[in-house]
Amino acid sequence: MSNKKIIIAIDGFSSTGKSTIAKQLAKHLNYIYVDTGAMYRAVTLFAMKNNYINNQSFNQEKLISNLNSVQLNFKFNAHLGFAEMFLNGENVEKEIRTIEVSKLVSKVSAISQVRKKLVSEQQEMGKEKGIVMDGRDIGTVVFPDAELKLFMTASADKRAKRRYKELINRGDKVNYEEILHNVQERDHIDSTRTDSPLTKANDAVEFDNSDMGLEEQFERIIRLVNDHI
């Protein structure tokens, strides 16, 4: 393996395991891992805590006018083996993974001013390369010149079952139908928003992992990585 460092951009639908494979790759390659979804979730949590958004209403102007009050940082947790999300100095890693945040994050992510702020921060993180970043627009907007782009997909049913199992194992009280509806709704919002909609980059390699195990997926992707370094 050479010492050449590259940018690996991983895009795709919610609950396709983007973060899981990104963490595996970053650890294997000794790269920095950035979960951009956590950044959008943290902004959503900020909006929720300040009563800018709930299930019935969304005061976009209030959020936009207070974006300068949002300070995001990743801090590496050696015990967990990955970086956790901090919002204004507070560890919010667990709070941002709730179904309540999941229900609202796509609406917040659709705001152009939010995307502009976070994309700028993400591009700054990748200046030195040697980074694995996952999200919705990494290969199309954040790093259009990334050396390797992956696009993850799977059936809505399979993704909902994965998300349901993950939340149940964490102790959350959820039901499968609610999760499936959330997955489908997020797909629609992410794919049809005006600013940076979720779409596969022309030069991205598509991975449908509906019926693919994690080990097989990792082995296939690491071969692609080795072709680029």
Side-chain angles (χ1 to χ4, degrees):
M1 190 180 293
S2 74
N3 292 321
K4 175 187 175 185
K5 288 186 178 292
I6 65 172
I7 291 174
I8 302 174
I10 305 178
D11 292 308
F13 295 95
S14 65
S15 302
T16 49
K18 298 185 300 294
S19 296
T20 299
I21 191 64
K23 287 175 186 175
Q24 283 183 302
L25 289 172
K27 184 176 181 180
H28 180 81
L29 299 166
N30 197 27
Y31 275 20
I32 294 168
Y33 163 62
V34 177
D35 175 3
T36 64
M39 299 173 74
Y40 286 100
R41 284 174 173 270
V43 176
T44 302
L45 183 64
F46 172 84
M48 292 167 65
K49 286 188 170 184
N50 286 280
N51 298 314
Y52 303 152
I53 190 170
N54 55 45
N55 290 325
Q56 285 75 44
S57 64
F58 185 10
N59 191 331
Q60 298 183 21
E61 291 72 23
K62 274 283 191 180
L63 174 59
I64 292 167
S65 64
N66 286 280
L67 277 176
N68 287 338
S69 299
V70 178
Q71 301 297 323
L72 304 177
N73 301 98
F74 285 101
K75 294 184 181 180
F76 187 75
N77 184 320
H79 177 69
L80 295 175
F82 62 86
E84 296 179 293
M85 186 80 252
F86 280 71
L87 168 63
N88 294 335
E90 179 187 357
N91 187 332
V92 293
E93 186 64 32
K94 187 172 182 179
E95 285 183 272
I96 63 173
R97 306 297 175 183
T98 62
I99 186 65
E100 289 77 19
V101 172
S102 294
K103 286 179 178 179
L104 300 173
V105 64
S106 289
K107 293 179 181 179
V108 172
S109 301
I111 305 302
S112 293
Q113 290 86 343
V114 173
R115 302 201 71 79
K116 183 178 180 182
K117 172 184 173 69
L118 298 193
V119 166
S120 175
E121 294 182 11
Q122 291 155 12
Q123 289 174 331
E124 188 67 28
M125 293 175 188
K127 279 190 173 180
E128 302 300 319
K129 299 200 174 186
I131 194 167
V132 185
M133 190 174 288
D134 74 278
R136 301 290 193 281
D137 62 351
I138 313 305
T140 53
V141 176
V142 183
F143 295 120
D145 297 323
E147 288 86 351
L148 178 60
K149 301 176 186 179
L150 304 173
F151 189 86
M152 314 299 290
T153 185
S155 69
D157 175 63
K158 287 288 178 70
R159 289 184 285 131
K161 286 177 179 174
R162 291 171 186 168
R163 181 71 175 147
Y164 175 77
K165 183 179 179 181
E166 175 187 332
L167 292 172
I168 289 294
N169 288 343
R170 207 178 69 175
D172 292 0
K173 293 183 178 179
V174 293
N175 66 72
Y176 171 75
E177 292 302 325
E178 181 183 23
I179 300 295
L180 178 60
H181 175 74
N182 176 241
V183 165
Q184 294 169 331
E185 184 178 43
R186 289 180 67 187
D187 286 354
H188 176 72
I189 296 174
D190 291 343
S191 301
T192 59
R193 67 184 178 222
T194 303
D195 190 345
S196 309
L198 170 63
T199 184
K200 175 179 171 288
N202 292 331
D203 53 347
V205 179
E206 183 169 338
F207 268 83
D208 185 331
N209 61 18
S210 298
D211 301 301
M212 192 183 297
L214 291 176
E215 188 174 339
E216 178 188 358
Q217 178 177 264
F218 180 76
E219 289 175 354
R220 289 191 183 189
I221 292 175
I222 203 64
R223 284 199 293 268
L224 289 173
V225 173
N226 289 335
D227 288 341
H228 288 79
I229 60 177

